[in-house]
Amino acid sequence: MRLLRLLSSGVLAVVVCLVATVSVSAGPAAARPAANPKPLTIPALQEWTGGTGSFTFTDATRIVSSTAHASALSSTSEVFADDLRALVGRTVARSTGTTADLQAGDIFLSLGSTDSKIGDEGYALSVTDKITIIARDDRGAFYGTRTVLQLLKQGSSIPRGTARDWSLKPERGLMVDNGRKYFTPGWLRDHVKELAYLKMNYFHLHLSDNEGFRIESGSHPEIVSAEHLTKQEVRDLVALAAKYKITIVPEIDAPGHMAPILAAHPELKLVSSTGVVQNQYIDLSKPAAYALIKDLYDEYLPLFPGPYFHIGADEYSISYSAHPQLEQYAKATYGANAIGKDAYLGFINWANGIVRAAGKTARAWNDGIGGGVAVTVNANVIVEFWYNHGKSPQAHIDAGHLISNESWSPTYYVLYPGGPSGPSSQWGYDTWNPDLFEGGQTVTSASKVKNLGSKIHVWCDNPGVVTEERIASDIKQGLRMLAQQTWGSPKLVTPWTNFVPVINAIGRNPAWTTSVQAGNLAANKPVTVSSTETVNLPGVNAVDGDYFSRWSSGYTDNEWITVDLGTVRQIGGVKLSWEYAYGSGYRIQTSNDATTWTTVYTTTTGDGGTDDLTGLSGSGRYVRMQGTARATQYGFSLYEFEVYAPTTF
């Protein structure tokens, strides 16, 4: 099967223009060929020295692991082969050997690098008629395969040259609010592979909140929501994540955001001195509250083998004066000078003790940390800074904490009643960096090493607003912004509008689950278009299998989109998923040469929505939607342009 090419001639033209800015001048063409510019990857490579010519991926290409490191590289080699099979539709051979055993077209994986600068996640890449990836650690070799995978996603030829590549921040990831909104195991698995494709390594599952408790429980089945992850589904996800070098971090949020737990245990709800019942806050003055939470910690700490356990501890937003039992508990537990806030801070330390006894590190949101008299939060708790409540990022670092930058802007994607908002991808790419915290706060240069990194955050405050498929589409660009910023390499292009074509060229990971039906001949095939309304609405969006991304043309009647199927195929059906700007008149045409066209369907009475055009009879390598009349003042806009053979439609 032929490999995917750059998906649009329009995208190709923009990308060629953009990468030319990083090419090395080679003098007159007659003197020597120009060196290859830095290739397109997300994140960009830290260092690149261009060669001339290209490597070609062929049917004979093998993945060869160094004999000396074959065992350590076995998982990386296997995953790389799986992903290449998803990309090219056939099995790529795997073997072991030395550099002396390599043939033209082979991809060689090795460990044993002595380059200390690249760290455990870095690698060196050499592209000649073969590709060599050498790293200090298996993680670095794995990220080298991600670079090669992205390059092969764009075509079977890779420019020759050498690279050194490493990460700026050790944590680069995604948080999903699976407590308020249930996300299916398939969606989570897709995002494990998506994160890895972008060299991201951290997947935070917020498993409980006021709208749901979304994980099976043996100790307290009464608190579990109907839609939830089973423990076996979690084990399977953790195992997949390990293969893709992703750390899964669970969060069981307490002592706030506990409505479903407290609905089953109303005797533990916090009640004010005037009798006001707080449905989401547990009463930290009651020993049974600690017993219940410890049951959950003891149950879930062994289920997640990663080094972290997130205790939440955010938004325990109460009036301590209205709940005098908390101050009474604090004085009895922490001393006569304690105040009500110390009961909450003491809870964090209590929870931290359980987590550390299990060999893990506790993490907590920043908004409540500080303000006590008798209690200071243990310095070995990692603080996740999301908003300007309490101490500054620098103050947390000065108190001995590691922190991470989870700033609302640009990393938050929130489901509001009127629809989703964020993340602020353009501002995040053009202006923000992972050491710039919410409110414009910064930390000293010496303190930046204490900042572990950042994540995109999916908060489902109003869970029914959109589907999980829409969320996946909405956060696609934000994940790529964050991947670039946290890897910290020199950007290929600026500003954001020039980065969007790079996003489109690299696309999703090859194993991404699409929404369209099986057998779509147009899926991820090259497209050309007559025009685009904006750089954010390219032709590639109409063949990416995503019903929430779209192509939109300029505002004239005779606009068109053409897909190259790669070879002459029999055409039995076409499916057009229109946005608001639909075609009232258009033709479906086929061609063998993209010059002479045959019309297989025509209409002047299109009414938008989804047009399932069945019973077509034609053939061609190229299929085109040729507009003849717009239904609105805008152009033609398609979420998807699907093409099917007669037997699959």
Side-chain angles (χ1 to χ4, degrees), residues 345-356:
L345 299 174
F347 165 81
I348 294 177
N349 287 345
W350 169 84
N352 180 47
I354 296 173
V355 173
R356 295 198 72 81

Side-chain angles (χ1 to χ4, degrees), residues 202-420:
Y202 190 104
F203 200 178
H204 174 175
L205 302 181
H206 180 85
L207 293 165
S208 65
D209 212 297
N210 290 327
E211 287 71 24
F213 191 94
R214 303 290 182 182
I215 184 170
E216 176 187 351
S217 175
S219 65
H220 288 281
E222 73 279 2
I223 70 175
V224 179
S225 301
E227 288 187 309
H228 65 270
L229 297 173
T230 68
K231 289 185 179 178
Q232 188 57 52
E233 288 169 339
V234 169
R235 292 186 190 99
D236 292 343
L237 183 68
V238 167
L240 179 70
K243 291 174 62 176
Y244 280 84
K245 313 300 187 244
I246 303 287
T247 297
I248 301 288
V249 180
E251 179 185 349
I252 304 298
D253 205 352
H257 294 275
M258 296 185 67
I261 298 173
L262 295 175
H265 294 273
E267 72 281 3
L268 299 180
K269 293 180 180 180
L270 184 66
V271 181
S272 74
S273 57
T274 60
V276 177
V277 178
Q278 304 287 352
N279 291 320
Q280 64 169 302
Y281 304 124
I282 202 165
D283 190 339
L284 291 174
S285 72
K286 295 184 175 181
Y290 296 87
L292 172 61
I293 294 170
K294 187 175 186 302
D295 285 345
L296 298 177
Y297 287 179
D298 289 345
E299 181 172 6
Y300 297 124
L301 278 163
L303 184 62
F304 294 89
Y308 303 119
F309 190 87
H310 205 301
I311 63 172
D314 61 316
E315 297 180 322
Y316 195 65
S317 306
I318 64 167
S319 166
Y320 287 96
S321 62
H323 301 89
Q325 68 268 39
L326 296 179
E327 182 169 330
Q328 294 167 9
Y329 171 85
K331 290 181 181 299
T333 306
Y334 305 115
N337 66 331
I339 61 174
K341 182 67 178 292
D342 288 316
Y344 161 80
L345 299 174
F347 165 81
I348 294 177
N349 287 345
W350 169 84
N352 180 47
I354 296 173
V355 173
R356 295 198 72 81
K360 301 181 188 295
T361 298
R363 306 178 75 112
W365 301 106
N366 76 290
D367 55 274
I369 295 177
V373 172
V375 179
T376 300
V377 171
N378 299 149
N380 54 21
V381 174
I382 294 175
V383 176
E384 303 208 344
F385 192 94
W386 70 277
Y387 210 72
N388 298 326
H389 296 304
K391 296 181 178 179
S392 70
Q394 186 65 55
H396 287 298
I397 291 173
D398 292 344
H401 296 281
L402 292 173
I403 64 173
S404 59
N405 186 352
E406 319 303 349
S407 296
W408 184 299
S409 298
T411 74
Y412 270 35
Y413 171 88
V414 184
L415 301 187
Y416 292 112

Side-chain angles (χ1 to χ4, degrees), residues 39-103:
L40 305 182
T41 61
I42 299 176
L45 299 171
Q46 291 279 8
E47 295 178 357
W48 169 259
T49 301
T52 59
S54 62
F55 162 93
T56 302
F57 184 94
T58 71
D59 290 346
T61 292
R62 302 176 300 164
I63 301 169
V64 182
S65 297
S66 164
T67 301
H69 310 106
S71 177
L73 290 166
S74 60
S75 177
T76 287
S77 174
E78 178 186 4
V79 169
F80 190 30
D82 288 344
D83 291 334
L84 287 175
R85 183 170 61 249
L87 177 63
V88 303
R90 59 175 172 79
T91 299
V92 177
R94 299 166 59 211
S95 66
T96 60
T98 67
T99 55
D101 302 315
L102 299 180
Q103 305 166 6

Side-chain angles (χ1 to χ4, degrees), residues 90 95 168 175 237 248 261 417 433 604 612 615 621 646:
R90 59 175 172 79
S95 66
L168 171 69
M175 188 227 76
L237 183 68
I248 301 288
I261 298 173
N433 69 77
T604 58
D612 288 307
R621 172 174 170 172

Side-chain angles (χ1 to χ4, degrees), residues 510-587:
W512 183 259
T513 301
T514 64
S515 303
V516 301
Q517 73 184 64
N520 174 23
L521 302 176
N524 294 314
K525 291 296 192 297
V527 295
T528 53
V529 296
S530 55
S531 64
T532 55
E533 181 180 3
T534 73
V535 68
N536 291 311
L537 301 171
V540 62
N541 285 354
V543 295
D544 64 357
D546 182 346
Y547 286 124
F548 298 100
S549 65
R550 62 186 174 95
W551 161 68
S552 188
S553 76
Y555 299 171
T556 67
D557 285 330
N558 296 312
E559 303 286 351
W560 51 264
I561 179 171
T562 298
V563 59
D564 178 0
L565 304 181
T567 187
V568 174
R569 302 295 299 264
Q570 294 294 315
I571 309 302
V574 167
K575 182 177 178 181
L576 304 175
S577 299
W578 294 104
E579 192 253 353
Y580 169 78
Y582 67 94
S584 58
Y586 62 87
R587 303 186 186 99

Side-chain angles (χ1 to χ4, degrees), residues 15 19 22 36-45 47-50 125 127 147 151 154 158-160 162-163 492 502 506:
V15 168
V19 300
V22 297
N36 291 320
K38 185 182 287 189
L40 305 182
T41 61
I42 299 176
L45 299 171
E47 295 178 357
W48 169 259
T49 301
L125 175 72
V127 184
T147 292
L151 296 174
Q154 299 167 62
I158 294 177
R160 295 191 185 195
T162 60
L492 277 170
V502 180
I506 291 168

